[in-house]
Amino acid sequence: MEVKFNGEKYALITPEKTYEDSFNNYIKELGSEERYPYPLDIPADDFQKYVETLHNYSQGKDLPAWLVPNTTYWLICNSEIVACSHLRHELNHQLKHAGGHIGLGVRPSFRGRGLSNLLLDLTIQQARAISIKEIHIHCFEDNLASKQMIQNAGGLLTSRIDNYQANLHLLRYVVS
Ligand SMILES: CC(C)(COP(=O)(O)OP(=O)(O)OC[C@H]1O[C@@H](n2cnc3c(N)ncnc32)[C@H](O)[C@@H]1OP(=O)(O)O)[C@@H](O)C(=O)NCCC(=O)NCCS
C-alpha cells in the first residue's frame, strides 16, 4: 500500500530481505533503547530466516506459545525502514488485559514528523481488512506521544490499570 504524506511517498510492506542494511541501521539507531515493537527484538543475524519467521507468524505457523498470529509491517520511505508496527490478528485473555492488537515504533531519526499517526492509521486499515471490529490499543500513561497518537486515531479510553509495572499506569483504548 502506497500513500503520500507531507510531500513524501511512503509504502506499507511486510518484511523483505532487501531491507537488511536499513533494518540493521534502524537497530543501531535504537542503541540501548528498548526494541519496540517485539519483532525488532527477535535476533536477525540470519536475515533471510528472520524474514521467513515473521511471514510464518503472520500465517499462524511455528508460533512460540507466547505469540498469537500477527503480522509485522514496515513503513518505507526512500528505500529506508522508517517505522515498524505489528498487528495481532486475535487476542487471548492475557493480551486483552495488557498488550492489545497493535504495537508500533518509529525509528529515532524519523520521530517528531507525524509518522506514528500515519503508521497507526495504515495498521488500523489492515486490522479492518481482516475484520477486527474493536481494535484494542494500550500504552503507558507517561508515553505522551503514544497517548496522543492513539487519540488521534480515534481511540477511546476504556480503562486504566494502575501500577501495571512499578509506577507505570497502563491506558487501554478501543478504536471502533
Ligand atoms: C511513541 C512514538 C511511536 C511516537 O512517534 P513519533 O513519530 O515521534 O510521533 P508523532 O510525530 O507521530 O507524534 C504523535 C503525536 O504525539 C504528539 N506528541 C509528541 N510528543 C509529545 C509530548 N511529549 N507530549 C504531548 N504530545 C506529544 C505529537 O504532537 C503528535 O500529535 P499531533 O499529530 O496531534 O500533533 C515514538 O516516540 C517511538 O517509537 N517510541 C518508542 C516506542 C514506543 O513508545 N511506542 C509506543 C508504545 S505504545
Side-chain angles (χ1 to χ4, degrees):
M1 180 193 295
E2 291 202 353
V3 286
K4 255 200 153 182
F5 180 75
N6 287 343
E8 295 274 8
K9 265 198 219 159
Y10 291 87
L12 186 77
I13 67 164
T14 54
E16 286 178 19
K17 170 89 175 75
T18 43
Y19 288 94
E20 182 168 5
D21 288 345
S22 186
F23 180 88
N24 287 332
N25 288 331
Y26 187 158
I27 296 295
K28 257 189 220 149
E29 270 185 34
L30 286 172
S32 59
E33 181 179 316
E34 183 188 355
R35 294 183 193 176
Y36 189 88
Y38 92 89
L40 295 176
D41 204 23
I42 297 176
D45 302 338
D46 181 342
F47 201 67
Q48 176 70 40
K49 190 168 166 224
Y50 175 72
V51 166
E52 280 169 17
T53 298
L54 293 179
H55 281 286
N56 283 342
Y57 290 173
S58 184
Q59 287 162 23
K61 282 194 224 157
D62 302 331
L63 289 165
W66 56 280
L67 286 179
V68 295
N70 68 93
T71 302
T72 298
Y73 295 100
W74 289 342
L75 187 67
I76 304 293
C77 182
N78 295 322
S79 304
E80 291 289 345
I81 307 171
V82 299
C84 173
S85 67
H86 82 106
L87 169 65
R88 295 184 175 115
H89 303 179
E90 60 197 50
L91 298 183
N92 55 28
H93 182 69
Q94 193 185 340
L95 290 167
K96 201 160 186 181
H97 179 67
H101 283 105
I102 295 176
L104 178 161
V106 174
R107 186 167 162 172
S109 57
F110 290 88
R111 290 181 186 166
R113 307 180 189 187
L115 292 181
S116 74
N117 293 327
L118 174 64
L119 181 55
L120 183 56
D121 285 345
L122 294 175
T123 309
I124 286 172
Q125 287 179 37
Q126 298 300 316
R128 299 279 182 233
I130 57 168
S131 305
I132 301 175
K133 292 195 175 66
E134 280 202 334
I135 303 165
H136 295 247
I137 310 176
H138 301 164
C139 78
F140 286 116
E141 193 172 51
D142 68 345
N143 193 338
L144 300 180
S146 183
K147 229 172 109 173
Q148 187 61 45
M149 159 192 88
I150 299 168
Q151 286 168 6
N152 288 346
L156 289 182
L157 184 65
T158 54
S159 58
R160 176 184 195 259
I161 305 177
D162 292 339
N163 300 310
Y164 176 71
Q165 267 177 22
N167 291 324
L168 294 176
H169 312 304
L170 190 73
L171 301 180
R172 302 194 292 188
Y173 292 86
V174 172
V175 178
S176 299

